[in-house]
Amino acid sequence: GWEVIPAREAPVLFLRTPAMEGLPCPVRGGSLRLLSNHLNIREGDFPLLAGYLVQAISPAGPYPILNWQGEQGTGKTTASEIVRSVIDPSSVPTRSAPRSGRDLVVAARNVWVLVFDNLSGLPKWLSDCFCRLSTGGGFGVRQLYTDRGEDLFFGMRPLILNGIDEVATRGDLVDRCLIIRLDPIDPTNRRTQAEVMAEFRADHPEILGALLDAASMALRRRDEVVLKQLPRMADFAKWVVA
C-alpha cells in the first residue's frame, strides 16, 4: 500500500528545481485506464503505455524510451505532455533536441522525465546518448572556464521522444523503445489543448493513485517473478510483470 505523509516525516530530502510543478494528492480506487480517455491511442497499445509509466515511477532503471510516431495532427505533443505530467509535471513540459552532451546532462539533472518534441531524425552521438541515459551510463563534459575540470554525471532517466519521421533508426536505440503510432484525429473530434488538459487534471489524482498501487505491488512481488525468457531490458520486464 501507500500513504501520503507530511514532509517533516519523509525519510528522504526532495530536490525541487525551478521548472518542477506539484503533483496532486493521489486518490484511491482509480485506474490507469482513465488515461486512455485523454489520449489518441489505440486500445491494443495501452499496455505499452501502462508498462512505461509503471517503470517510470520505479526507484531504479533501466527505463524504456516511449516513442510516439504519427503524421501532423495526431496529438503527439499533447500525449507527451500528459504522460510526463502523470509523475513529473513541469512548467516546461517539452524541449527541443539538445545541441551537446552538456545540454543533455544539465537537463537530466533538473528533471525526471525528459521529453524531446518534434524531432526530425537523430545524429549518431545523440542516439548513443539516449541509449546511455535509458539503460545507464556515465557522461563527462568539460567544466566551463576550466582546462582540466570535468563535470560528471551517471544515471538513468525515463525518456519520451516524438516526431513525424521515424526518430529511432539505429538498432541499439530501437531495442530500448516502446513505439506507439498515433492515428490522425478526425477534425470533428478536435478539442483545444486547454480542454484536454483540464479534463486530464480532473482525473490525475485517481490515475496517480492507481500508479502508486502498481508500484506498491511491484515492490512486493518483484523478487518472486520468474520469467522463462528475459528480453534485453530484463529489469524493466520483471518490474512490470510484478
Side-chain angles (χ1 to χ4, degrees):
W2 53 268
E3 60 181 323
V4 179
I5 62 175
R8 64 179 178 276
E9 297 178 13
V12 296
L13 296 176
F14 289 90
L15 173 69
R16 173 170 286 188
T17 59
M20 288 182 181
E21 295 187 344
L23 285 163
C25 189
V27 173
R28 302 179 193 277
S31 169
L32 284 179
R33 285 279 174 187
L34 288 171
L35 192 58
S36 62
N37 297 335
H38 312 291
L39 301 174
N40 175 36
I41 186 173
R42 301 171 186 171
E43 176 65 23
D45 287 331
F46 184 79
L48 292 176
L49 177 60
Y52 173 83
L53 276 171
V54 170
Q55 181 65 14
I57 204 172
S58 165
Y63 300 101
I65 300 169
L66 182 60
N67 183 4
W68 300 109
Q69 290 185 1
E71 60 185 78
Q72 301 97 320
T74 54
K76 299 183 298 297
T77 298
T78 300
S80 299
E81 293 182 14
I82 288 176
V83 172
R84 176 188 178 171
S85 294
V86 172
I87 59 172
D88 186 24
S90 172
S91 59
V92 187
T94 65
R95 62 182 70 214
S96 57
R99 296 184 178 180
S100 66
R102 182 192 303 277
D103 291 345
L104 186 61
V105 168
V106 170
R109 279 182 164 161
N110 282 275
V111 302
W112 180 245
V113 181
L114 287 157
V115 180
F116 295 102
D117 185 44
N118 199 26
L119 299 174
S120 299
L122 294 176
K124 181 179 180 298
W125 71 267
L126 185 54
S127 180
D128 292 342
C129 285
F130 284 166
C131 288
R132 294 204 305 274
L133 203 57
S134 168
T135 52
F139 296 82
V141 294
R142 186 173 65 86
Q143 289 180 341
L144 290 175
Y145 312 116
T146 69
D147 292 325
R148 302 172 113 186
E150 190 175 27
D151 195 12
L152 300 174
F153 172 82
F154 181 90
M156 290 174 270
R157 293 287 187 272
L159 290 156
I160 299 176
L161 314 178
N162 76 63
I164 295 174
D165 303 321
E166 290 190 11
V167 175
T169 56
R170 296 175 60 84
D172 52 355
L173 184 61
V174 173
D175 281 349
R176 292 165 168 82
C177 283
L178 300 175
I179 299 174
I180 299 180
R181 291 177 173 83
L182 302 180
D183 296 324
I185 300 173
D186 190 296
T188 60
N189 294 327
R190 287 194 176 279
R191 295 177 295 160
T192 66
Q193 186 174 20
E195 291 174 326
V196 173
M197 295 305 294
E199 292 177 4
F200 160 70
R201 292 189 184 99
D203 285 339
H204 193 178
E206 292 186 61
I207 294 170
L208 180 58
L211 189 58
L212 296 179
D213 288 339
S216 172
M217 179 65 72
L219 286 168
R220 191 176 78 185
R221 296 188 56 216
R222 62 182 171 181
D223 294 331
E224 304 169 10
V225 172
V226 178
L227 301 178
K228 292 182 180 179
Q229 185 174 356
L230 291 173
R232 179 167 182 176
M233 300 181 76
D235 298 275
F236 158 60
K238 288 192 67 174
W239 176 264
V240 173
V241 169

